[in-house]
């Protein structure tokens, strides 16, 4: 089975709740749509998120999100010069770096940054003749590569993409919280609970899985591509 998971944002407890439900095996693949880090509600745990995903028995693929990119860039910047100059560097905007620095060595943080910077921006898979494109914010035709911010943050055409998708493919993304969409008043576009569940467009070729995990009232979402079954952290 192929399971696709939305933005985690430092929520290790919610991550474990979803993983307990899907009970992934060595024959399964979990694809995380990016933004593993930053935020995290009252109990942010970026190290826990990293360790949990690293220990998954099946195949785990991470798509690079904008928060992942920002964290990796900051790690590289912070450790690029001598220690005496680090205090002059502006603090990281979010909480992940300070939390991780207390528990992970400099070498391991730099290795994590290299790993993040090597993550794919888009993944293409085919399941039972259905072609899927997976990216953090916005997908593109595989034959028409885009700049990295296109995949991680989208562009001016993001809303049109949500409605029309990419012809011939089913696109699955995170990044944009489903409660913040322009079409949030249309309850039929939410797969389950109104404004707190996976959103899909009318054509059925775009799914959005960011259900606000990382915020106190948000939850983590996951979907099985073979069965369409959906899972939530609470």
């Amino acid at each position: 089975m192929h399971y696709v998971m939305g933005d985690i944002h430092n929520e290790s407890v919610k991550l474990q709740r979803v993983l307990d439900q899907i009970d992934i095996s060595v024959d399964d693949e979990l694809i995380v749509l990016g933004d593993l880090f930053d935020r995290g509600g009252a109990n942010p745990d970026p190290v826990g998120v990293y360790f949990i995903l690293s220990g998954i028995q099946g195949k785990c693929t991470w798509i690079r999100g904008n928060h992942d990119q920002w964290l990796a860039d900051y790690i590289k910047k912070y450790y690029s010069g001598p220690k005496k100059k680090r205090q002059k560097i502006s603090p990281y905007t979010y909480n992940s770096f300070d939390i991780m620095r207390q528990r992970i060595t400099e070498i391991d943080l730099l290795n994590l940054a290299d790993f993040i910077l090597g993550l794919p921006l888009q993944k293409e898979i085919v399941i039972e003749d259905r072609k899927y494109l997976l990216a953090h914010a916005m997908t593109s035709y595989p034959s028409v590569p885009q700049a990295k911010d296109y995949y991680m943050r989208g562009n001016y055409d993001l809303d049109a993409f949500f409605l029309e998708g990419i012809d011939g493919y089913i696109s699955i993304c995170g990044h944009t919280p489903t409660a913040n969409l322009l079409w949030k008043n249309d309850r039929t576009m939410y797969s389950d609970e109104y404004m707190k569940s996976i959103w899909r467009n009318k054509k059925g070729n775009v799914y959005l899985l960011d259900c606000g995990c990382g915020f106190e009232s948000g939850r983590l979402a996951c979907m099985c591509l073979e069965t369409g079954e959906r899972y939530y952290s609470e």
Side-chain angles (χ1 to χ4, degrees):
M1 296 294 182
H2 295 79
Y3 297 93
V4 183
M5 180 177 287
D7 305 33
I8 301 171
H9 282 302
N10 284 348
E11 295 268 20
S12 62
V13 173
K14 293 178 181 179
L15 170 60
Q16 192 59 59
R17 287 174 183 166
V18 173
L19 291 176
D20 288 344
Q21 293 177 60
I22 64 178
D23 192 22
I24 195 166
S25 74
V26 293
D27 297 320
D28 298 326
E29 179 176 8
L30 175 67
I31 305 165
V32 183
L33 294 171
D35 278 9
L36 280 65
F37 304 112
D38 297 342
R39 301 195 187 109
N43 298 293
D45 186 14
V47 177
V49 168
Y50 176 51
F51 285 172
I52 289 170
L53 290 179
S54 298
I56 285 179
Q57 296 301 307
K59 183 179 179 182
C60 184
T61 300
W62 301 2
I63 303 294
R64 196 184 338 164
N66 56 297
H67 282 269
D68 311 320
Q69 178 79 42
W70 293 339
L71 176 60
D73 288 343
Y74 188 85
I75 291 171
K76 289 286 194 178
K77 178 181 179 181
Y78 185 84
Y79 290 117
S80 63
K83 290 184 178 180
K84 62 182 180 180
K85 291 187 177 181
R86 292 174 186 172
Q87 61 185 7
K88 298 181 181 179
I89 299 175
S90 299
Y92 184 57
T93 306
Y94 294 92
N95 53 5
S96 298
F97 180 73
D98 286 339
I99 295 172
M100 299 182 88
R101 191 158 59 100
Q102 296 174 24
R103 296 180 56 189
I104 299 179
T105 67
E106 176 181 335
I107 294 298
D108 287 336
L109 277 172
L110 286 168
N111 287 337
L112 172 61
D114 287 335
F115 178 74
I116 290 172
L117 296 175
L119 293 174
L121 295 167
Q122 177 169 278
K123 180 179 176 68
E124 179 183 3
I125 57 176
V126 179
I127 300 174
E128 298 173 355
D129 296 326
R130 298 190 303 270
K131 295 190 291 185
Y132 293 89
L133 293 173
L134 301 99
H136 181 59
M138 192 170 177
T139 65
S140 75
Y141 286 104
S143 59
V144 187
Q146 304 286 341
K148 65 181 181 181
D149 274 355
Y150 173 99
Y151 298 103
M152 292 191 295
R153 304 185 70 181
N155 64 10
Y156 65 91
D157 210 25
L158 186 61
D159 290 334
F161 163 74
F162 290 158
L163 292 177
E164 297 299 327
I166 304 292
D167 287 342
Y169 294 89
I170 299 172
S171 295
I172 306 180
C173 301
H175 184 65
T176 303
T178 59
N180 295 348
L181 291 165
L182 294 175
W183 311 277
K184 62 185 179 182
N185 290 331
D186 189 340
R187 295 173 179 264
T188 66
M189 301 177 87
Y190 289 92
S191 300
D192 301 289
E193 185 177 350
Y194 175 54
M195 290 179 62
K196 293 185 65 178
S197 64
I198 295 170
W199 180 93
R200 64 190 185 283
N201 69 0
K202 298 290 187 180
K203 296 174 68 174
N205 69 350
V206 174
Y207 288 77
L208 300 180
L209 271 63
D210 182 355
C211 296
C213 192
F215 297 106
E216 185 175 353
S217 61
R219 57 183 184 169
L220 181 61
C222 183
M223 182 171 69
C224 177
L225 297 186
E226 282 83 357
T227 68
E229 189 171 0
R230 298 171 296 277
Y231 308 85
Y232 299 96
S233 57
E234 54 191 9

